[in-house]
Amino acid sequence: MSRRLVSLTLDTLEDLPRPCRQCVYWELDPVSADRACAAGDPGLEKEAWVSQTLLEWGSCGKLAYVDGMPAGFVMYAPPAYVPRSMAFPTSPVSADAALLMTAHVVAPFAGGGLGRMLVQGVARDLTKRGIKAIEAFGDAKFGDDGERPGACVAPADYFLSVGFKTVRPHPRYPRLRLELRTALSWKSDVEYALEKLLGSMSPETLLRPVRPAPATRSTAG
């Protein structure tokens, strides 16, 4: 099974799940988003937002592919580019952080470590650009009581599971933060699995036959 991570571009934008490709929850303020949906083609607004953000700021998303199939994505940007970021009760995002707007892993690929892989890809990108942290608004009641999950707001549990810490609690929409130096210190899934398998023994010790020590002649007598 091959896994690869690529940056979001106008071409790879088409590989987002269709509901996400048409969603402008984060990209527009609530009133403008409603107008775009009423006009019938919010996908054009999404494309315009991605194009402008790429031009002015740079990479604003990552997509994960498994055996060539789109399996998940994340989108991120400075909060100034994300009008919806000011609509949360736990706003604003810290001045030294980029906002991780949304994260999604396609159901058949869930539980395979793609969520962490995506966040680590974001961390590498943002570190090169001098940004110190990622923040996100999570949904603490995602799917509770049969509710339809909030539009494009990822579960708070997801962010906690990949290393975020709560910096401003809220019963529904806590704000969470991940220091990039923490994200970049993670070991890859392969390294972790190898360490777990081998324990304290080195791979060289296990893979090479151990030669018996040469016999020594006793000097006693």
Side-chain angles (χ1 to χ4, degrees):
M1 181 180 294
S2 66
R3 304 195 301 179
R4 65 188 179 97
L5 210 59
V6 305
S7 294
L8 179 68
T9 65
L10 292 177
D11 292 329
T12 57
L13 179 63
E14 301 307 317
D15 285 341
L16 266 58
R18 183 165 179 78
C20 301
R21 172 65 180 85
Q22 298 294 318
C23 177
V24 287
Y25 178 87
W26 291 101
E27 293 83 357
L28 301 176
D29 64 79
V31 173
S32 298
D34 288 343
R35 286 175 181 166
C37 292
D41 195 1
L44 288 176
E45 296 286 351
K46 182 107 172 180
E47 184 174 331
W49 183 91
V50 170
S51 178
Q52 180 181 3
T53 305
L54 286 171
L55 182 64
E56 295 180 357
W57 185 66
S59 179
C60 57
K62 297 288 181 186
L63 287 87
Y65 293 82
V66 176
D67 292 337
M69 297 288 293
F73 77 96
V74 290
M75 292 184 66
Y76 53 96
Y81 282 78
V82 189
R84 178 73 64 163
S85 69
M86 292 306 298
F88 286 83
T90 48
S91 297
V93 173
S94 301
D96 64 347
L99 175 64
L100 200 160
M101 299 151 56
T102 189
H104 178 75
V105 174
V106 179
F109 301 101
L114 288 181
R116 179 166 290 222
M117 176 182 170
L118 285 161
V119 170
Q120 193 166 24
V122 175
R124 288 195 188 100
D125 177 37
L126 294 180
T127 298
K128 293 175 184 176
R129 294 152 79 172
I131 296 173
K132 296 182 178 180
I134 313 169
E135 293 192 358
F137 298 103
D139 187 347
K141 297 184 178 180
F142 189 92
D144 281 4
D145 303 321
E147 290 183 11
R148 179 182 177 276
C152 287
V153 183
D157 285 346
Y158 160 70
F159 292 116
L160 293 170
S161 73
V162 296
F164 281 72
K165 306 295 183 186
T166 302
V167 291
R168 189 168 177 193
H170 186 268
R172 183 65 189 261
Y173 295 118
R175 178 160 52 91
L176 306 104
R177 180 180 173 96
L178 177 65
E179 302 293 339
L180 293 187
R181 63 177 180 272
T182 301
L184 293 176
S185 70
W186 290 336
K187 294 185 176 180
S188 70
D189 294 340
V190 173
E191 289 173 324
Y192 175 77
L194 184 63
E195 179 180 315
K196 189 174 181 181
L197 175 66
L198 301 180
S200 60
M201 300 185 70
S202 71
E204 290 185 354
T205 303
L206 290 181
L207 297 176
R208 291 195 309 217
V210 178
R211 296 180 180 178
T216 57
R217 185 175 298 174
S218 174
T219 57

